[in-house]
Amino acid sequence: MSSSVLRPAATDDEPARVTAYRPISSHLAIAPPVSVVIPAMNEAENLPYVFKTLPAWIHEVVLVDGNSTDATVEVARDLWPGVKVVRQRGKGKGDALITGFTACTGDIIVMVDADGSADGNEIVSYVSALVSGADFAKGSRFANGGGTDDMTFVRKLGNRTLCTVVNRKFGARYTDLCYGYNAFWRHCLDKIDLDCTGFEVETLMNIRVVKAGLKVQEIPSHEYLRIHGTSNLSAVRDGLRVLRVILRERSNRRALRRRTHTSPMPDAVRGERS
């Protein structure tokens, strides 16, 4: 990526103002503050691996604690003294993310899993895409340069099938559908209106950014194995939940089209045409 402009252009009536920029690489500095949201439940053993890869220039880390019974919160505070801890009142990954998004103060929000499968060093690629013009930077394990160490044949087949359905039904061009490493401008939340609680939240986001006409850029990402513990993910159960989200969003889209085509013409318009 080419170097970023580090100072707003001055006008005849106003002198140039210096803005606080954060250097995030040897050729890029940004002004927008970046918030990282980490939903976690009993991930005390994995958090050291997660936090050690997070860039120092991050504006804030928001840890959403899903009522952990281990030392998740204490470990997070030791590793990142300024961490913002938010207690989750509901259940599910979707609920945790929505809770975390609400607590963010940054202009850019990055979603990172707490199991050690995501490399925080990749955040620079996501942020670079956003400051270059994208609204939503979507991680992909199957884009050129991406990869995964943690996907069975059944999950890979299911992901590919569901991804194909979304691409055909919503006009998307995704290479990966069910992946939780994403970043976006905070104002996008007003346009996608998240309303689900489970793992299917990632699919819902991917569909609604397309429906909202937002500019999406895929970011090659490598998914590593969970370091400690076991995942709550179930290929069949969560695959069915993802399918239900796809069908619901498709149904809503058709209903909107029908209302648009059959809505009565306003009186003012009829009067003009009569």
Side-chain angles (χ1 to χ4, degrees):
M1 181 181 171
S2 60
S3 61
S4 171
V5 177
L6 299 183
R7 185 187 300 267
T11 65
D12 294 337
D13 300 326
E14 182 182 20
R17 293 191 303 269
V18 177
T19 305
Y21 282 81
R22 297 172 178 82
I24 66 174
S25 73
S26 60
H27 61 283
L28 178 67
I30 63 168
V34 176
S35 299
V36 172
V37 176
I38 305 176
M41 184 174 70
N42 297 330
E43 299 285 8
E45 290 185 287
N46 290 321
L47 289 184
Y49 301 92
V50 177
F51 277 85
K52 75 177 181 180
T53 67
L54 295 181
W57 47 262
I58 288 173
H59 165 64
E60 68 179 355
V61 176
V62 178
L63 181 92
V64 184
D65 177 49
N67 301 303
S68 298
T69 56
D70 66 359
T72 291
V73 173
E74 292 76 14
V75 169
R77 286 177 171 153
D78 287 340
L79 295 169
W80 200 280
V83 66
K84 180 184 292 185
V85 177
V86 182
R87 300 285 184 176
Q88 182 181 358
R89 295 185 178 181
K91 294 182 179 181
K93 185 176 183 180
D95 180 82
L97 285 171
I98 294 170
T99 300
F101 297 159
T102 302
C104 288
T105 60
D107 294 330
I108 290 175
I109 298 175
V110 184
M111 304 157 47
V112 175
D113 286 341
D115 58 4
S117 62
D119 182 0
N121 291 305
E122 294 179 358
I123 291 177
V124 63
S125 299
Y126 289 83
V127 172
S128 296
L130 295 175
V131 298
S132 297
D135 297 305
F136 190 85
K138 180 191 176 307
S140 173
R141 295 161 292 187
F142 305 113
N144 187 25
T148 177
D149 300 332
D150 189 25
M151 184 170 283
T152 63
F153 173 77
V154 172
R155 285 180 57 202
K156 185 177 293 186
L157 178 62
N159 186 38
R160 181 178 300 175
T161 301
L162 294 170
C163 189
T164 300
V165 172
V166 167
N167 287 343
R168 290 181 178 176
K169 298 299 183 182
F170 298 96
R173 300 177 63 183
Y174 294 140
T175 60
D176 196 354
L177 184 66
C178 308
Y179 189 43
Y181 200 174
N182 304 302
F184 53 91
W185 292 98
R186 187 172 58 175
H187 63 73
C188 294
L189 292 171
D190 296 330
K191 299 179 181 179
I192 60 178
D193 190 25
L194 299 176
D195 55 2
C196 69
T197 61
F199 281 100
E200 70 275 14
V201 65
E202 293 139 3
T203 297
L204 182 65
M205 294 181 74
N206 293 333
I207 292 175
R208 290 191 176 174
V209 294
V210 172
K211 291 171 67 175
L214 299 176
K215 184 177 179 181
V216 180
Q217 180 172 332
E218 284 198 332
I219 307 298
S221 177
H222 192 98
E223 178 188 39
Y224 296 90
L225 289 170
R226 163 182 277 275
I227 298 173
H228 297 285
T230 58
S231 172
N232 292 321
L233 182 67
S234 168
V236 176
R237 180 198 63 200
D238 293 308
L240 290 174
R241 293 184 68 154
V242 167
L243 180 60
R244 283 196 292 269
V245 164
I246 295 172
L247 295 176
R248 184 189 70 188
E249 292 299 302
R250 179 62 177 171
S251 177
N252 290 345
R253 190 178 186 186
R254 287 176 175 172
L256 178 61
R257 286 179 176 175
R258 285 197 297 269
R259 287 197 299 270
T260 302
H261 292 157
T262 62
S263 60
M265 189 182 302
D267 293 338
V269 176
R270 284 202 299 267
E272 290 174 359
R273 294 187 177 180
S274 59

